[in-house]
Amino acid sequence: MKYVLGAKCTRCGAEYEALPTITTCKCGGILDIQYSYSAIRDHFSPADLEQTRDWSMWRYRPFLPVEEDSPAPPLRVGWSPLYKADRLAGVLGLKTLYIKDDGQNPTASLKDRASAMAVVKAREAGADTIACSSTGNAASSLAGNAAAAGLSTYIFVPSRAPKGKVAQLMIFGATVISVDGSYEDTFALSKAAIDRWGWYNRNAAINPYLSEGKKTVSFELMEQLHWQVPDYVALSVGDGCTIAGVWKGLKDLYETGFIDRLPKLLSVQAEGCCPLNRALQTGEPWSPMEENTLADSIAVGVPRNADKALNAVRESGGIAVNVSDEEILEAMRLLGRTQGVFGEPAGVTGTAGVKKTLELGLIDPDSTVVSIVTGNGLKDVANGIRAAGEPMLVRPDLDALLSAFDARNIRP
């Protein structure tokens, strides 16, 4: 790993060699991968990226903690589209809005970035089996990326996980354990099983390399914006791993001179499960909450990456805002009807937060905002229908169609 210096605990500052099997610090803190930014700056620049024809997350390899000869996994992960969302911006009363649609990754979520990294590090560790616990997206991304690489997976999900995500797991050939309990219960069981059988651990709050995969979404959106920094980057928050990864990527770019300033983070959680935002809003230490939201991917009552996530939002001078389930469903409708982007509930929670902050006067309407859609709506069709409603049902007769139109005040 040409530019990696090692790993450092975010809690006590202890330093470790960046071996592929490192997990958490002895004190229980999460590790952070450290780089020689001066060395990256001397050998890599935006001009080099202009010559790179690898349209995946691996175009940023100098910023990633992988061996130079480690091959990328087979699935193409990354380089998801960034849309200038003028129609939605007009509806919200915002000057400039971009939507980064990471639901277009191979298994339809941002979590593919972390799972692709996990596959590479598992290979470097000589492992043939990877395991994790997940509310759904991390599980399906791991199962798909591992299957393509010829690795076995054991996946632990809460029994409430949407059927679309569980179907992905089964299709990808994972050994799936549906746990009759909360995400915390699921995490605990996966940890016990990993400890017993020695599988490679893909749990993002245990494995420090996974945030390094997630941070590539920051590299992409900044390159797609031609290195012009927005005022805010908005995204949904559950375990805290994704927002921590996004901030790490932005700081990497700042430290190496690719960008000249840092944006503020907009941390958005569901009202029914917002332990991290509650800590940010009150200044008190975070405490567990019930997992009471339809946005299953962020229904994490005991966040495992709290330190990194809280540090990221605070360091950025960002904003924490909570949204109701109805506001999440409304964001699904808005994104679909103004921009043609179908996001799952957790995937659109960041966009719901943009709307909420504007309504509350927390951000200037003249701001430039990027909202990251973290997962595709086809993963949770039941809530997609809940947001959009059922179609009209008519007999195969024109008069019946006209009557149905009249009843709904439709004037073609």
Side-chain angles (χ1 to χ4, degrees):
M1 295 185 288
K2 190 173 181 180
Y3 302 111
V4 173
L5 299 175
K8 186 175 182 179
C9 178
T10 56
R11 184 177 299 172
C12 74
E15 297 183 355
Y16 294 82
E17 183 181 356
L19 300 173
T21 53
I22 56 173
T23 53
T24 54
C25 178
K26 293 177 181 178
C27 77
I30 305 296
L31 301 183
D32 196 29
I33 304 301
Q34 305 288 298
Y35 295 86
S36 172
Y37 291 122
S38 61
I40 296 175
R41 192 184 307 117
D42 288 343
H43 296 96
F44 192 59
S45 71
D48 294 308
L49 283 170
E50 292 177 6
Q51 308 303 316
T52 302
R53 303 273 70 84
D54 179 357
W55 300 106
S56 77
M57 62 181 273
W58 303 104
R59 67 191 279 109
Y60 308 106
R61 189 176 277 257
F63 284 103
L64 298 177
V66 296
E67 300 294 346
E68 291 185 78
D69 58 352
S70 288
L75 296 184
R76 193 274 309 153
V77 175
W79 205 251
S80 61
L82 180 73
Y83 301 120
K84 192 168 188 291
D86 290 338
R87 294 193 65 226
L88 180 54
V91 171
L92 299 181
L94 183 64
K95 181 180 179 181
T96 307
L97 175 65
Y98 292 90
I99 298 296
K100 177 73 167 164
D101 187 8
D102 239 41
Q104 294 198 33
N105 276 309
T107 75
S109 85
L110 183 149
K111 301 294 180 67
D112 280 330
R113 299 176 185 274
S115 291
M117 178 64 69
V119 166
V120 172
K121 299 311 291 185
R123 282 172 163 173
E124 291 179 1
D128 60 7
T129 302
I130 314 179
C132 78
S133 64
S134 167
T135 53
N137 282 333
S140 55
S141 73
L142 174 60
N145 281 274
L151 301 177
S152 299
T153 50
Y154 287 81
I155 309 293
F156 297 77
V157 295
S159 57
R160 62 173 163 76
K163 293 186 182 298
K165 298 177 184 180
V166 176
Q168 282 185 297
L169 296 173
M170 304 303 291
I171 286 291
F172 295 145
T175 299
V176 182
I177 301 94
S178 182
V179 180
D180 186 13
S182 66
Y183 175 68
E184 172 66 9
D185 298 326
T186 305
F187 185 93
L189 183 58
S190 75
K191 182 180 185 304
I194 290 168
D195 289 345
R196 177 173 181 131
W197 284 289
W199 302 322
Y200 190 80
N201 193 333
R202 185 251 179 258
N203 285 322
I206 298 295
N207 187 328
Y209 293 111
L210 303 191
S211 287
E212 300 298 307
K214 290 183 177 185
K215 75 182 184 183
T216 58
V217 72
S218 297
F219 299 160
E220 286 178 16
L221 71 87
M222 291 312 313
E223 185 178 2
Q224 289 166 329
L225 288 173
H226 307 290
W227 313 109
Q228 299 303 302
V229 181
D231 298 303
Y232 296 92
V233 176
L235 67 163
S236 57
V237 176
D239 222 0
C241 301
T242 299
I243 197 166
V246 166
W247 185 240
K248 178 68 181 299
L250 291 167
K251 288 183 67 178
D252 284 353
L253 294 176
Y254 180 72
E255 293 293 339
T256 49
F258 279 58
I259 57 177
D260 58 7
R261 67 184 181 92
L262 289 163
K264 296 179 179 180
L265 297 178
L266 179 55
S267 170
V268 191
Q269 292 201 282
E271 287 179 352
C273 190
C274 56
L276 294 179
N277 276 3
R278 185 171 63 181
L280 290 166
Q281 292 161 344
T282 64
E284 299 291 329
W286 74 269
S287 58
M289 289 187 68
E290 292 185 7
E291 298 169 358
N292 186 21
T293 175
L294 58 79
D296 67 283
S297 293
I298 56 170
V300 182
V302 182
R304 294 286 176 169
N305 214 335
D307 290 344
K308 278 190 181 182
L310 294 173
N311 289 344
V313 180
R314 287 168 177 154
E315 190 176 352
S316 78
I319 299 170
V321 65
N322 303 321
V323 293
S324 67
D325 281 357
E326 183 50 49
E327 287 170 323
I328 292 171
L329 294 174
E330 173 61 15
M332 292 178 72
R333 292 188 289 269
L334 278 173
L335 267 170
R337 295 171 187 181
T338 62
Q339 300 301 147
V341 173
F342 185 17
E344 66 168 319
V348 307
T349 298
T351 305
V354 175
K355 182 174 185 291
K356 187 73 168 281
T357 53
L358 285 163
E359 291 170 349
L360 294 175
L362 298 176
I363 63 175
D364 188 331
D366 287 333
S367 300
T368 296
V369 180
V370 175
S371 183
I372 301 174
V373 176
T374 54
N376 189 278
L378 290 174
K379 286 173 165 286
D380 190 352
V381 173
N383 276 312
I385 294 172
R386 182 174 172 181
E390 297 281 355
M392 68 182 76
L393 178 65
V394 302
R395 299 189 310 278
D397 176 83
L398 184 58
D399 288 336
L401 178 61
L402 291 173
S403 296
F405 278 3
D406 285 340
R408 292 164 177 79
N409 199 31
I410 297 173
R411 301 288 181 262

